[in-house]
């Protein structure tokens, strides 16, 4: 009885090797892959950052057949614009941190640039890292926000197109909720 259990345990632990190490289909594919010659893509050429004028210019011709594409060859849209900009030394999305060397005031707020209708900014206080990150939301209709922790003021500067062309500015009767700031008399500001 003891020997039967030991034999079963050893059989379970034994490494099982397959009869064929590689299937025949993989062998045929591998042999054919040696005969593939990389060809340049026909019709389109890569455009540089200066040559991009429309959204269609951000579509790439792709990599040559039989080769592995690079990030530049396979990226499209905003990702492609960002890669081309970085190759030219241009920071497309302005990823620099906000000015944390001073506290923003109503007269001299910290400017947050945005190409969209709304922008979120994280305040860590003044001096820097004096409180946890407090996220402030600014919109085109309400561009100024004050941090409730440290009192620093942030203002969104819209840098996008004058009209986005969507025609959704009425928000279907949506009214922004009132905050305590709506009830404070202007003379206390």
């Amino acid at each position: 009885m003891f020997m039967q259990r030991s034999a079963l345990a050893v059989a379970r632990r034994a490494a099982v090797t397959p009869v064929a190490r590689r299937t025949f289909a993989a062998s045929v594919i591998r042999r054919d892959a040696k005969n593939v010659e990389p060809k340049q893509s026909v019709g389109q050429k890569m455009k540089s950052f200066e040559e991009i004028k429309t959204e269609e210019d951000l579509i790439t011709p792709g990599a040559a057949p039989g080769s592995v594409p690079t990030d530049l060859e396979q990226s499209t849209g905003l990702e492609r614009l960002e890669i081309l900009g970085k190759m030219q030394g241009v920071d497309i999305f302005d990823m620099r941190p906000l000015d944390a060397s001073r506290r923003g005031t109503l007269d001299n707020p910290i400017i947050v640039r945005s190409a969209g209708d709304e922008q979120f900014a994280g305040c860590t206080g003044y001096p820097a890292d004096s409180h946890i990150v407090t996220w402030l939301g600014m919109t085109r209709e309400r561009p100024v926000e004050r941090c409730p922790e440290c009192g620093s003021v942030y203002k969104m500067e819209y840098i996008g197109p004058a009209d986005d062309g969507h025609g959704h500015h009425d928000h279907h009767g949506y009214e922004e909720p009132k905050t305590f700031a709506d009830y404070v008399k202007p003379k206390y500001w």
Side-chain angles (χ1 to χ4, degrees):
M1 180 83 172
F2 178 72
M3 285 301 268
Q4 288 177 344
R5 289 184 186 165
S6 301
L8 288 173
V10 169
R12 277 191 226 140
R13 291 184 187 142
V16 179
T17 59
V19 177
R21 291 210 178 262
R22 188 170 60 191
T23 63
F24 295 108
S27 297
V28 172
I29 291 172
R30 250 176 227 244
R31 187 179 63 216
D32 288 346
K34 292 178 186 174
N35 298 331
V36 174
E37 296 176 16
K39 299 176 184 173
Q40 291 297 327
S41 125
V42 181
Q44 268 184 319
K45 70 174 191 76
M46 294 275 190
K47 294 190 177 187
S48 67
F49 181 69
E50 292 82 16
E51 293 175 333
I52 293 178
K53 304 294 181 210
T54 64
E55 290 180 16
E56 287 79 26
D57 295 338
L58 293 174
I59 298 174
T60 177
S67 66
V68 177
T70 63
D71 286 343
L72 180 63
E73 290 173 335
Q74 73 179 3
S75 62
T76 59
L78 288 175
E79 181 184 9
R80 182 166 179 76
L81 184 66
E82 181 182 18
I83 291 172
L84 290 172
K86 285 184 179 180
M87 289 172 61
Q88 298 291 326
V90 177
D91 188 10
I92 300 295
F93 295 115
D94 192 19
M95 299 300 287
R96 293 174 293 148
L98 295 176
D99 182 16
S101 64
R102 63 182 178 87
R103 179 178 309 199
T105 63
L106 285 173
D107 296 330
N108 189 14
I110 296 174
I111 302 297
V112 179
R113 299 176 69 195
S114 174
D117 287 339
E118 63 181 3
Q119 182 70 38
F120 289 94
C123 178
T124 58
Y126 177 77
D129 296 329
S130 61
H131 63 74
I132 62 170
V133 177
T134 303
W135 293 100
L136 308 169
M138 294 161 277
T139 62
R140 286 174 72 176
E141 291 80 28
R142 190 178 183 141
V144 177
E145 281 292 325
R146 183 186 291 267
C147 176
E149 294 283 332
C150 65
S152 187
V153 177
Y154 295 86
K155 181 178 182 181
M156 183 181 98
E157 178 185 318
Y158 181 71
I159 58 171
D163 181 26
D164 61 1
H166 295 294
H168 297 290
H169 298 291
D170 61 349
H171 297 288
H172 306 287
Y174 173 77
E175 182 179 329
E176 188 165 339
K178 295 198 179 285
T179 63
F180 185 70
D182 294 326
Y183 299 103
V184 176
K185 295 178 182 176
K187 69 179 182 179
Y188 295 124
W189 291 1

